[in-house]
């Protein structure tokens, strides 16, 4: 067990290393943060001083070596822009994003799965057909567009929900969360739904397709022959068999939502990580980008690990022996 | 003797692109309390479909085209799905032919057994588990307690078959439809199971439809035999009638093909010709293409005629000589 | 409760603040926020003219010595008195702020030494004659010397060291989200109307407008030009606008060879047509500035022929943009030897200035119509600016905000011949060089007398513009929107100040 | 349906005929296919059918900008769907934009699908180090934001529609890989794979002919959705100047451009391109849904 | 026995707990959710030696779950043994070069016990049967359709149904598809795992005749796994009896049926149902069924054995020759 976890850990370390190398080279090629950050009125000396202050005067390999050295000491550097430890910056924003991502995935599960089941069981019913057609709306309209429409409708027209921001927060485990207060929940509703829309569609369609594949199989028929209630036949016998792609996709979407919910976050002025990374990319704030992507890559490694474990949970035939 | 099941003029058709497959075509038979009906016949002649039809488990593109299935006088074909569900697994149990595909691959054996118990009896989980374990023991699975928490793919073919049998036995049903239940069992285990079945039949009055190719088992177990060919029952009668005094040329051929009736190592006797595809059956007697005695009369449908008491035949040219 | 609400002003800002440390990063969103908490010696009024703030008055006592008389009775938020020591401390700190990506030292580097005369008099010595010092000091926010040696930027962000003399005191900062501030009840000047200010960052244009429409904020800056028409018709809202000091212009490459100009059929040219004045005039003349202002900017700009808008120091009266005249432009091209025009790539950012991408497309249309086949290429700022600095473009759009409010600043940074040692022409990305302009500028910068300096600057400006050093397009307007019942004196320097938002009388 | 029984078992159909017949059994899907074809035709023949070349700056005039649907230009041309802020005829713009969006969207989704699914299947089938390598690469890839990838591609390879597609493929392949692997992990344990191996079939054959078709249903779902995502992602990248040139807007870019005018009531600038996109995606999905049903032998007869 | 076509040398195969950590973790979590213990290691096949000569038909009979299918899979090269070696024509198959391995694999075909699970649900019958011969060049593309038809007909299927999918067939028809598939690649050895169990006797007769013809014509070798002792007796040259992972008796067919030596073999033969017997009373197993999870020490059969002695509980009896070519593992022979 420990050996296996260790192996995964070593692999994760390699992935992180690979990522940092790519980032150092890539960002170097994209441009020089000084060009963006420094006041255009600065003279050569100011410029040189700023470059030195950020350590950009060193050859790239040295910058990388310094970074590695820092990393070994738990220091991922400070943001060029904010002059705060990159990790701290990310840490401040992480709960907001996490909250948003979890809500979005939960919404996708509670709405997508039942609707998908229904559409699979009764493919020709009105609800089933509308769910399928409606789900197309969920992913073919750009997120920013839908987000704005939601704001126009629920905040401006109807005035039911606040338009932007995170609202009141309450403390839990020393972290501020919105979902604990009414106001916070009201602020959370629209962005979460906006983010969930695509995922709902995806889950719905996967479930429906799975149900259609599975329903005619012998073991479903046998389950019926045992006199089980349809809820159990569908909810257990069918569901458990079709969950692997759904879980895969949910894992991907969850990770993706945490990492890149940029559009939604900026439309709803949600102070999450997605905005941070985009802002950082825009000014080539390397320490933040590197630290951020390191966290994200570790998160994906972890999520995918959990998903892999879920596979063995869902289907005993999946064996992960010798699987990374 | 009370009639448990009375099938009248049952027809089940599958609509396919190439045409209608009349898998079951106007068959009638009945089974009384404590009685065992052996259903034998050509592979692909509609035995399994008959079983599914009785339980109302025919899925599109198949459908019951005609006929009635009276269970204790109630027509199952007309019964509502809810009512039917109460009977399935409880008063009528079916053992499916393909053990690999009938058990849900992702659910543990205990889950699949316990849910069957609890679908029809209000018992605690622990109680249900005990019953499941006992049933496993009854069908000759060693260390049932440990085996309960295994998954189907960890079982051998015969063990899976026994699980299916055990599930059928859980509720001491009035009627068991056993579709090739012991093909994958060695004779000592087979004997064990047949003994259990006999006990059940004797003590509980369970009626059975025993679909099999193993004529020797039917000979030892059944009270009556129905022989199917190409969707029709071509001969019915008591075991003695059919096995010792078969009249239909197909029954003759069948019995003649049993290896033990042939010299070791020699070519086995076989019925000449090829089983016709149900798609392009000739008009009239379906067997006439392979029948030595066929003549022009056979181009029309032979009616079911009662040759002797309880010995019904569909043939213009019964073959009276005794099989070798 | 409505009463409490009336006491609170919720501001929708358009860009994230990166730090509460007023000396960390020369970045306009920061400056905008800092003006709530801290104060400089000299401030700018709405039209960007210097006015006294913490200094009551200032004068040149010697060619290289400025004397400032400080306002007495001013207290910092922590109760300490404001004195000359604080000014000296601030000037001393600025060059030493750690890791500053854009140091405020550019505003203090002219100062060679600081002389505290008495608690309310301070003298600043410069190496050379430096008339711009008061203007530079408008960017220098004073912090108390009791913060000790080298206070850390984090301590400002946490609020510990966020202490100024401004009308509001810092309460909290949630990175990327909002800053909360309370009224400074001990403020020396007129008390703000707001007990509390919630300064929210809503960078997305549509979202910011929507937040105002839904009543989630009271006051927003940088109203998108697309929404101006609609908002101005809304009875529940009120708009305030003024011409900004920011000019949008096109750079043309003045080097002998240029990367993205080819002949009319795509053939390589052995010279750069843009070095020919007639070509530059033609390109400028071909642009219908009124159309751009009207159709693209939806009126939120004014066509421009020089660096600064009317009313600014060193504005040249009568120096207007050339009239739109495509026919004449064609003639000029033909005269310059390009009767069939040529091909050019017009580059620009598309996420930096208001409607930047659309403007270059429109210019592309107009140039195409005089036979200059224009390929328009808009890219995101980080890539764009890097390439622009490398001289990778032939013609490209940029903007320039003259924070000092006088032409010396753009002349020195944009137009003067590139001289890294002096810091001249630092962003002269068109590689323009005109010795006459340089000479005039040198003289102007050594002229302490405002009237004489203004003359020199006007001459230099006229010279550069007549030579089409770059093609000015327009000056943007700064537009604020607020709920009806509020007023705001729109500021040319783009900053949003809660203390200057008042309930309508 | 029962009418078919009367059809004598005629000459056996070719697989293609059968496929066509199966597909055409759903009228909605046929309608959708027609729409897809029409859209494709319109896109292909755009230069011949549009009233204006919306990519030729010399043909545009900002004085015609933001005209409502039905308005006419000074030159007398009618803008049936109005114009955008550059004075671009929306109808022409949409047809041209479709061209780019379809090429980029479908092209990149297809390439990413093929590459990703293959890698995912190989990972599941081969196991061991191969799988570890591929899956860690997936982890790595998943964590790169699209914009960063696009910026890097731009920096390394420069601009161009091909590079946009490379960026999109790079961003998207990992999803397919994980989905394919997830499905394949189960399927590869099934007995028919053993049977295929027993027949000593080449590995690639087992992979693509036996494993792949059984892993296909979720992949088709992802694929059809991914086309939509690719189109929107391309729009986002183009919007940031990392994609197609802004003077040659794709459908997504048209929407993104017009989006700013939603609040000011000039709805048509983003509404019609949005509608076109919706219609396209809907049609593609309906076709995809039907395809999935047709390819499912259980639904066949 | 260098002339053996395939020989098993102390081949074992175990399943179960020896899984990876992920599986263990998953299981541990699921246990936390209230499920009982999970199966321990199953020694499905335990040190089996077996030689099959070219052209020979070896019947493999045994209790259900004793490891016959597992053994068959190892012979067919689908499942690698946990220990021991499978020799193909005298060479360890694990050490063969890829090309040779491919040929060796192709030469041994398996007919699976579970017909449906072993058919690809997304391929039509003609593809299932025709793919491998085409790939391996056993037939030209032009002749493929005719070839497939012939294979189907030979297995007793009407070629008219060849464009159908597996789920559209009955159990017996599926099994015949499997037979046709295996035969279509013209193997030199067949592992028939309950190959005829789902067939009615007349078709069974047809298939068995086919097997015998193939043997006569092409010298095909068979490992014939079956519960139907009648079929085994009819077809086999030699019979091996398995019990709980071990071969307990091996002899020529006539010898076994005439003089069964091992008590399990004797029990088997006595339970064979006869078509002549009417309405007989079947009898339950006496004694305790041993579990492969915790196989009893010594002779695996002793809990059910009427002749069990003290030694049977402790010492596993080795296979001993009791007559020429007849070997049995029972202490009674000792
Ligand atoms: N879904 C279906 N579509 C078309 N034909 C079908 C379908 N299911 C079964 N059939 C046909 O119906 C006929 C009867 O099948 P059934 O399974 O009842 O046979 P069986 O008597 O049980 O045979 P076996 O002994 O081989 O199991 C077969 O010819 C089969 O091809
Ligand atoms: N994948 C597996 N995981 C765990 N145990 C397994 C697995 N496959 C088989 N077994 C176990 O191995 C033993 C032998 O199985 P095998 O399928 O070889 O039996 P068999 O002799 O073919 O039985 P049958 O006649 O019933 O088909 C059984 O106890 C079974 O539970
Ligand atoms: Mg059957
Ligand atoms: Mg087996």
């Amino acid at each position: 067990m420990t050996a296996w976890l260790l192996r995964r850990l070593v692999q994760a370390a390699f992935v992180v290393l690979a990522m940092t190398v790519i980032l150092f080279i890539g960002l170097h090629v994209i441009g020089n943060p000084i060009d963006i950050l420094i006041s255009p009125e600065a003279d050569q000396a100011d410029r040189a001083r700023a470059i030195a202050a950020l350590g950009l005067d060193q050859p790239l390999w040295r910058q990388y070596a310094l970074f590695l050295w820092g990393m070994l000491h738990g220091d991922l550097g400070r943001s060029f822009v904010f002059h705060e430890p990159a990790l701290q910056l990310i840490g401040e924003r992480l709960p907001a994003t996490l909250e948003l991502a979890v809500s979005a995935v939960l919404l996708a599960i509670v709405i997508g799965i039942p609707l998908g089941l229904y559409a699979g069981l009764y493919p020709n019913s009105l609800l089933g057909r509308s769910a399928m057609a409606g789900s197309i709306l969920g992913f073919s309209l750009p997120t920013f567009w839908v987000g704005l429409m939601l704001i126009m409708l629920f905040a401006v027209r109807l005035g039911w929900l606040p338009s932007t921001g995170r609202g009141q927060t309450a403390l839990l485990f020393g972290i501020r969360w919105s979902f604990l207060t009414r106001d916070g929940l009201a602020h959370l509703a629209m962005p979460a739904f906006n983010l969930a829309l695509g995922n709902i569609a995806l889950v719905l369609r996967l479930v429906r397709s799975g149900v259609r594949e599975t329903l005619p199989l012998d073991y479903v028929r046998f389950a019926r022959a045992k006199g089980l209630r349809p809820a159990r036949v569908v909810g257990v016998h069918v569901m458990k068999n079709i969950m692997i792609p759904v879980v895969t996709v949910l894992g991907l979407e969850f990770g993706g939502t945490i990492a890149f919910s940029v559009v939604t976050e900026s439309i709803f002025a949600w102070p999450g990580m997605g905005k941070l990374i985009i802002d950082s990319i825009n000014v080539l704030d390397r320490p933040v980008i590197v630290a951020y992507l390191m966290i994200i890559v570790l998160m994906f490694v972890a999520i995918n690990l959990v998903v892999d474990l879920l596979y063995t949970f869902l289907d005993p035939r999946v064996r992960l022996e010798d699987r990374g | 003797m009370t009639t448990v099941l009375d099938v009248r003029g049952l027809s089940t058709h599958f609509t396919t692109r190439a045409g209608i497959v009349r898998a079951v075509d106007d068959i009638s038979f009945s089974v009384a309390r404590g009685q065992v009906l052996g259903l034998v016949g050509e592979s692909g002649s509609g035995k399994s479909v008959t079983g599914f039809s009785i339980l109302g488990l025919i899925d599109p593109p198949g459908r019951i085209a005609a006929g009635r299935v009276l269970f204790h006088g109630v027509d199952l074909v007309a019964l509502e799905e809810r009512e039917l569900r109460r009977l399935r697994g409880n008063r009528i149990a079916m053992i499916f032919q393909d053990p690999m595909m009938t058990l849900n691959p992702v659910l543990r054996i205990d889950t699949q057994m316990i849910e069957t118990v609890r679908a029809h009896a209000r018992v605690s989980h622990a109680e249900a588990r005990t019953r499941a374990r006992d049933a496993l023991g009854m069908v000759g699975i060693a260390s049932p307690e440990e085996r309960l928490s295994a998954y189907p793919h960890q079982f051998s073919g015969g063990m899976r078959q026994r699980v299916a049998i055990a599930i059928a036995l859980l509720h001491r049903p009035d009627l068991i439809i056993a579709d090739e239940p012991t093909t994958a069992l060695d004779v000592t285990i087979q004997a064990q199971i047949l003994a259990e079945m006999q006990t059940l039949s004797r003590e509980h009055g369970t009626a059975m439809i025993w679909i099999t190719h193993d004529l020797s088992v039917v000979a030892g177990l059944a009270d009556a035999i129905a022989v199917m060919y190409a969707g029709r029952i071509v001969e019915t009668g008591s075991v003695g009638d059919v096995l010792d005094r078969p009249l239909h040329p197909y029954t003759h051929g069948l019995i003649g093909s049993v290896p033990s009736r042939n010299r070791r190592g020699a070519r086995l006797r076989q019925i000449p010709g090829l089983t016709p595809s149900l798609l392009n059956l000739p008009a009239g007697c379906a067997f006439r293409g392979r029948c030595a005695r066929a003549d022009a009369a056979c181009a029309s449908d032979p009616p079911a005629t009662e040759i002797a008491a309880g010995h019904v035949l569909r043939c213009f040219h019964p073959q009276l000589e005794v099989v070798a | 409760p409505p009463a409490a609400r009336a006491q609170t002003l919720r501001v929708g800002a358009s860009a994230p603040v990166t730090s509460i440390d007023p000396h960390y990063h020369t970045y306009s969103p920061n400056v905008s926020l800092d003006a709530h908490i801290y104060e400089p010696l000299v401030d700018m009024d709405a039209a960007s003219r210097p006015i006294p703030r913490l200094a009551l008055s200032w004068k040149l006592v010697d060619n290289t010595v400025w004397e400032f008389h400080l306002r007495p009775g001013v207290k910092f938020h922590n109760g300490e008195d404001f004195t000359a020591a604080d000014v000296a401390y601030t000037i001393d700190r600025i060059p030493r702020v750690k890791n500053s990506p854009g140091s405020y030292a550019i505003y203090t580097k002219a100062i060679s030494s600081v002389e505290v005369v008495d608690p309310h008099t301070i003298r600043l010595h410069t190496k050379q004659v430096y008339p711009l010092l008061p203007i530079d000091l408008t960017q220098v926010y004073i912090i108390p010397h009791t913060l000790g040696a080298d206070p850390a930027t984090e301590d400002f962000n946490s609020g510990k060291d966020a202490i100024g003399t401004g009308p509001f005191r810092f309460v909290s900062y949630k990175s990327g989200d909002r800053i909360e501030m309370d009224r400074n009840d001990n403020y020396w000047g007129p008390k703000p109307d707001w007990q509390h200010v919630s300064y929210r960052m809503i960078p997305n244009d549509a979202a910011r407008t929507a937040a105002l429409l839904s009543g989630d904020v009271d006051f927003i800056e940088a109203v998108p030009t697309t929404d101006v028409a609609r908002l101005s018709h809304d009875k529940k809202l009120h708009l305030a606008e003024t011409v900004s000091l920011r000019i949008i212009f096109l750079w043309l490459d003045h080097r002998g060879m240029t990367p993205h100009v080819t002949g009319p059929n795509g053939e390589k040219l052995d010279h750069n047509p843009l070095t020919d004045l007639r070509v530059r005039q033609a390109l400028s003349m071909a642009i219908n500035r009124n159309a751009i202002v009207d159709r693209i900017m939806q009126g939120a700009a004014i066509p421009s022929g020089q660096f600064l808008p009317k009313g600014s120091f060193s504005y040249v009266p009568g120096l207007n943009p050339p009239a739109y005249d495509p026919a004449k432009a064609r003639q000029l091209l033909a005269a310059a030897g390009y009767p069939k025009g040529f091909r050019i790539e017009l580059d620009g950012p598309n996420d930096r200035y208001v409607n930047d991408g659309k403007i270059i497309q429109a210019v592309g249309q107009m140039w195409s119509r005089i036979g200059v086949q224009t390929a328009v290429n808009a890219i995101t700022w980080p890539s764009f600016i890097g390439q622009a600095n490398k001289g990778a473009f032939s013609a490209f759009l940029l903007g320039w905000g003259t924070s000092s409010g006088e032409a010396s600043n753009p002349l020195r940074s944009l137009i003067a011949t590139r001289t890294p040692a002096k810091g001249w022409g630092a962003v002269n990305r068109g590689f323009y060089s005109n010795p006459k302009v340089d000479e005039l500028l040198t003289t102007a910068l050594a002229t302490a007398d405002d009237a004489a300096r203004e003359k020199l600057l006007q001459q230099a400006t006229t010279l550069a513009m007549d030579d089409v050093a770059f093609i000015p397009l327009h000056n943007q307007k700064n537009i604020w929107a607020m709920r009806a019942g509020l007023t705001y004196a729109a500021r040319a320097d783009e900053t949003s100040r809660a203390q200057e938002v008042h309930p309508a009388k | 349906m029962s009418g078919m029984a009367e059809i004598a078992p005629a000459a056996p159909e070719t697989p293609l005929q059968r496929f066509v017949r199966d597909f055409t059994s759903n009228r909605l899907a046929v309608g959708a296919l027609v729409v897809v074809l029409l859209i494709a035709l319109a896109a292909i023949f755009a230069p011949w059918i549009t009233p204006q070349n919306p990519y030729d700056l010399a043909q545009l005039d900002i004085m015609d900008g933001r005209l409502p649907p039905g308005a006419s230009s000074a030159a007398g041309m009618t803008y049936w769907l109005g114009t955008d802020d550059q004075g671009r005829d929306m109808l022409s713009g949409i047809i041209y934009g479709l061209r780019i969006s379809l090429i980029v969207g479908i092209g990149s989704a297809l390439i990413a699908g093929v590459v990703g699914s293959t890698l995912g299947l190989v990972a599941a089938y081969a196991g061991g180090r191969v799988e570890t390598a591929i899956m860690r690469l997936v982890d790595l890839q998943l964590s790169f934001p699209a914009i960063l990838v696009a910026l890097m591609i731009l920096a390394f390879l420069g601009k161009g529609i091909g590079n946009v597609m490379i960026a999109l493929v790079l961003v998207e392949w990992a999803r397919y890989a994980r989905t394919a692997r997830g499905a394949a992990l189960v399927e590869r344990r099934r007995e028919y794979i053993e049977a295929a191996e027993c027949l000593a079939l080449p590995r690639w054959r087992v992979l693509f002919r036996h494993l792949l078709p059984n892993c296909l249903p979720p992949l088709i779902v992802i694929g059809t959705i991914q086309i939509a995502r690719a189109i929107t992602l391309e729009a986002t990248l183009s919007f940031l100047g990392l994609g197609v040139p802004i003077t040659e807007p794709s459908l997504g870019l048209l929407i993104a451009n017009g989006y700013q005018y939603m609040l000011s009531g000039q709805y048509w600038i983003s509404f019609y391109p949005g509608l076109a996109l919706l219609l396209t995606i809907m049609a593609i999905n309906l076709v995809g849904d039907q395809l999935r049903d047709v390819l499912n032998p259980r639904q066949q007869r | 026995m260098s002339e053996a076509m395939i020989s098993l040398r102390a081949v074992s195969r175990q399943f179960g707990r020896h899984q990876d950590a992920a599986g263990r973790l998953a299981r541990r979590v699921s246990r936390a959710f209230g499920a009982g213990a999970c199966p321990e290691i199953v020694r499905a096949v335990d040190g089996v030696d077996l030689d099959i000569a070219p052209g020979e038909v070896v019947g493999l009979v045994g209790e259900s779950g004793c490891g016959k299918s597992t053994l068959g899979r190892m012979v067919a090269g689908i499942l690698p043994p946990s220990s021991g070696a499978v020799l193909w024509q005298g060479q360890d198959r694990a050490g063969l070069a890829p090309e040779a391995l491919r040929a060796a694999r192709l030469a041994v075909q398996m007919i699976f016990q579970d017909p449906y699970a072993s058919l690809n649900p997304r391929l039509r019958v003609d593809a299932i049967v025709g793919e491998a011969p085409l790939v391996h060049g056993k037939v030209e593309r032009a002749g493929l359709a005719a070839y497939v038809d012939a294979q189907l007909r030979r297995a007793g299927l009407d070629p008219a149904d060849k464009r159908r999918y597996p789920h559209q067939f009955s159990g017996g028809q599926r099994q015949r598809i499997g037979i046709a598939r295996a035969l279509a690649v013209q193997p030199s050895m067949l592992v028939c795992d309950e190959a005829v169990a789902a067939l009615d006797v007349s078709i069974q007769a047809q298939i068995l005749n086919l097997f015998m013809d193939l043997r006569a014509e092409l010298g095909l070798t068979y490992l014939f796994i079956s519960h139907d002792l009648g079929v085994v007796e009819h077809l086999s040259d030699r019979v091996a009896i398995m019990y709980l992972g071990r071969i307990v008796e091996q002899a020529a067919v006539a010898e076994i049926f005439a003089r069964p030596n091992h008590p399990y073999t004797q029990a088997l033969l006595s339970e064979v149902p006869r078509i002549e017997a009417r309405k007989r009373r079947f009898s339950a197993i006496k004694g305790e069924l041993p579990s492969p999870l915790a196989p009893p020490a010594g002779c695996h059969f002793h809990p059910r054995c009427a002749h069990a002695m003290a030694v049977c509980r402790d010492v596993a009896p080795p296979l001993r020759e009791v007559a020429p070519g007849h070997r049995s593992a029972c202490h009674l022979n000792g």
Side-chain angles (χ1 to χ4, degrees), chain B residues 28-48:
Chain B
S28 306
F29 62 86
S30 65
V31 197
R33 220 177 107 81
Q35 211 195 9
V36 178
L37 171 71
L39 193 56
V40 299
E42 173 92 313
S43 156
S45 61
K47 303 181 295 295
S48 303

Side-chain angles (χ1 to χ4, degrees), chain B residues 147 153-154 156-158, chain E residues 15 44 64-70 113 227:
Chain B
R147 289 293 196 172
H153 74 275
Q154 294 168 325
S156 78
Chain E
F15 294 105
S64 152
C66 69
K68 304 181 295 297
S69 301
T70 309
Q113 179 173 18
H227 290 301

Side-chain angles (χ1 to χ4, degrees), chain A residues 259-274:
Chain A
F260 323 115
S261 49
V262 195
V263 178
T264 300
E265 285 187 5
S266 55
I267 294 221
F268 292 94
W270 189 263
M273 302 200 298

Side-chain angles (χ1 to χ4, degrees), chain C residues 144-357:
Chain C
H145 70 281
T146 45
L147 293 182
D150 296 327
T153 297
E154 293 96 311
D155 290 334
F156 285 88
N157 293 346
S158 72
K160 180 170 156 276
D161 289 351
I163 294 164
T165 56
F168 293 98
R169 37 172 95 238
F170 175 89
V171 174
S172 71
Y173 167 46
K174 278 190 225 154
S175 169
D177 185 23
R178 64 180 65 186
I179 293 124
E180 303 284 349
M181 293 174 284
D182 276 342
R183 178 160 64 200
N184 173 11
D185 286 319
N186 296 324
Y187 187 55
W188 58 267
K191 302 269 181 306
D193 292 313
W194 314 107
Q195 179 64 48
H196 185 83
V197 172
S198 178
Y199 193 89
R200 302 182 186 172
M201 295 164 255
I202 313 178
N204 187 281
D205 284 344
R208 202 164 55 250
T209 308
L212 177 68
L213 285 174
S214 66
D216 284 346
V217 296
D218 305 306
F219 176 78
I220 61 170
E221 62 182 20
V223 175
T225 54
T226 50
D227 296 341
V228 170
R230 163 174 177 168
L231 298 187
S232 61
H233 289 126
D234 194 326
K235 290 238 159 31
K236 295 201 294 275
L237 302 177
H238 169 70
L239 262 58
E241 63 167 53
T242 185
V243 177
S244 125
L245 298 177
R246 188 181 294 278
I247 184 177
I248 302 297
F249 61 94
L250 300 178
W251 266 124
L252 296 177
D253 190 358
H254 293 269
R255 289 172 296 179
M257 293 298 288
T258 194
H260 294 305
V261 177
T262 54
N265 302 313
E267 68 274 20
K268 264 197 143 47
L269 295 177
D270 56 358
H271 61 283
N272 176 4
L274 303 174
T275 51
D276 188 320
L277 175 63
R278 288 166 297 185
V279 171
R280 297 203 296 274
Q281 284 171 332
L283 290 178
S284 181
M285 206 171 280
I287 296 171
N288 185 347
R289 291 176 175 77
N290 288 322
I292 292 178
V293 164
D294 182 44
R295 308 303 306 185
I296 306 280
M297 297 301 289
Q298 308 210 24
I302 51 162
S304 166
Q306 51 181 302
F307 304 112
L308 291 166
K310 199 154 152 183
S312 317
F313 184 84
S314 70
Y315 172 79
V316 187
L319 181 56
N320 294 325
Y324 171 57
D325 192 344
K328 183 143 175 244
R330 267 181 220 274
Q331 283 171 17
L332 280 169
L333 276 182
Y338 304 99
K340 291 214 188 105
F342 48 85
R343 287 191 188 183
I344 192 166
E345 181 183 301
L346 175 59
D347 293 276
N350 65 349
D351 48 3
R352 177 72 175 181
Y353 307 109
V354 178
N355 297 330
D356 41 13

Side-chain angles (χ1 to χ4, degrees), chain C residues 230 295 350 358 365 369, chain D residues 60 65-66 85 239 260 263:
Chain C
R230 163 174 177 168
R295 308 303 306 185
N350 65 349
K358 294 177 191 166
Q365 292 182 9
R369 257 181 247 119
Chain D
L60 308 182
R66 291 182 279 115
D85 49 22
F239 191 58
Q260 312 157 26
L263 288 180

